[in-house]
Amino acid sequence: MTELLQVTNITAGYGDGPAILDGAHLTVEPGKVHCIIGPNGAGKSTLLKSICGMLTIRKGDVVFKGKRLNGMRPDQILREGICFVPQERALFPKMTVRDNLRMGGFILNDQKELDRRIDGILERFPILRERAEQHAGTMSGGQQQTLAMARTLIIKPAIVMLDEPSLGLAPKVIQEMFDIMKMMSAEGVTVLLVEQNALMGLKNSDWGVVLDLGRTLFEGPAADVLADPRIQELYLGGKKAA
Ligand SMILES: Nc1ncnc2c1ncn2[C@@H]1O[C@H](COP(=O)(O)OP(=O)(O)OP(=O)(O)O)[C@@H](O)[C@H]1O
Ligand SMILES: [Mg+2]
């Protein structure tokens, strides 16, 4: 098997509340873009939070590069190379773009190396270089999302998980975000995203996962998810893939 991350039939919930996920599974292959779709409340965000250690996994397994992650803390999972960008992006609005990038590297001890990596990111994302000394909160939604994605690259992650990266952005800007994700995956950073705009998410991904009522109903090549008449009917607004 070539999978990088394997989630097998997990059960998880908040505190000692009811199970929100029950029977969620997922296969993540290196260098691909993976998109989780499903209705509101399906458990999509809960699945990402479970993988990155924010919730306790009650049953099932999360295995990354052959290592079981169950029970590990979020910072330990980050050090393993799995980086999570929550829906609200978790930027520091009153800090500059440069300092936000610096915060993304808090697990690095070598300050010189951190500075080199920040310069490298600013080099790659001209819009961030232009605004390096500007407060993050003063930038547009698309620029902030670019910063949130670019910041993950500071630690040279294996997997970047993005919860609704397109939220609140104009269609043209959304496409730019998908282009960044494709660039990341082409460079070997595997992407796992949750997308409310299922059609657009799947069209820009290699792998699709349909989650509903806390369980995985289908996973496979994104083209197969798009072509499935039942999934079209239930989860893609009855629209045929163009
Ligand atoms: N912090 C929390 N404490 C308790 N229950 C929660 C919490 N966050 C989410 N839930 C519950 O978990 C269920 C799944 O929520 P989740 O946010 O994972 O869904 P989602 O698929 O991401 O939905 P959306 O498309 O609206 O973002 C919902 O019933 C929700 O009420
Ligand atoms: Mg959500």
Side-chain angles (χ1 to χ4, degrees):
M1 292 292 276
T2 57
E3 78 274 354
L4 183 61
L5 177 79
Q6 186 78 57
V7 175
T8 315
N9 287 327
I10 60 168
T11 301
Y14 294 85
D16 47 19
I20 301 294
L21 298 177
D22 194 4
H25 60 85
L26 177 67
T27 304
V28 173
E29 291 185 25
K32 288 190 173 160
V33 179
H34 307 70
C35 180
I36 304 171
I37 65 162
N40 290 332
K44 304 181 296 296
S45 300
T46 304
L47 178 53
L48 297 190
K49 288 186 227 169
S50 302
I51 294 170
C52 77
M54 289 166 70
L55 294 181
T56 305
I57 292 163
R58 299 174 189 171
K59 266 198 276 177
D61 283 315
V62 176
V63 176
F64 172 64
K65 291 184 179 168
K67 182 172 180 177
R68 204 161 166 263
L69 300 185
N70 302 43
M72 285 172 63
R73 294 190 313 264
D75 63 301
Q76 293 172 319
I77 291 174
L78 179 68
R79 282 170 212 273
E80 292 290 328
I82 301 180
C83 198
F84 174 49
V85 180
Q87 193 173 313
E88 62 280 5
R89 298 179 189 135
L91 294 175
F92 299 94
K94 298 237 163 101
M95 286 171 67
T96 62
V97 166
R98 187 185 296 280
D99 285 344
N100 268 277
L101 292 173
R102 187 170 294 284
M103 295 302 279
F106 78 95
I107 60 170
L108 301 175
N109 295 321
D110 182 342
Q111 289 305 304
K112 282 216 174 84
E113 173 63 15
L114 178 56
D115 283 336
R116 264 195 299 275
R117 291 193 191 183
I118 291 171
D119 288 343
I121 302 260
L122 293 174
E123 201 63 38
R124 277 181 60 189
F125 295 91
I127 189 67
L128 301 182
R129 192 178 55 217
E130 274 170 35
R131 290 161 194 271
E133 313 311 328
Q134 190 174 321
H135 285 175
T138 63
M139 298 200 298
S140 71
Q143 290 162 353
Q144 291 193 31
Q145 183 59 39
T146 303
L147 174 57
M149 291 196 280
R151 186 176 60 174
T152 66
L153 301 178
I154 289 275
I155 62 152
K156 299 187 189 289
I159 300 179
V160 170
M161 301 196 296
L162 305 164
D163 197 354
E164 311 258 8
S166 71
L167 204 73
L169 305 180
K172 182 179 162 286
V173 182
I174 295 176
Q175 191 55 55
E176 287 172 20
M177 299 306 119
F178 279 115
D179 292 344
I180 294 175
M181 288 176 229
K182 282 183 205 164
M183 182 181 83
M184 286 163 65
S185 72
E187 290 174 6
V189 177
T190 302
V191 177
L192 174 60
L193 82 141
V194 163
E195 187 48 64
Q196 193 68 246
N197 184 337
L199 211 51
M200 187 153 190
L202 291 169
K203 282 182 183 169
N204 285 284
S205 299
D206 304 297
W207 193 256
V209 181
V210 182
L211 193 76
D212 200 357
L213 300 171
R215 69 180 47 165
T216 302
L217 298 186
F218 185 93
E219 69 171 322
D224 292 359
V225 181
L226 281 165
D228 187 303
R230 232 181 118 61
I231 296 175
Q232 283 173 10
E233 175 78 27
L234 289 171
Y235 302 105
L236 301 173
K239 289 187 196 98
K240 275 203 184 309

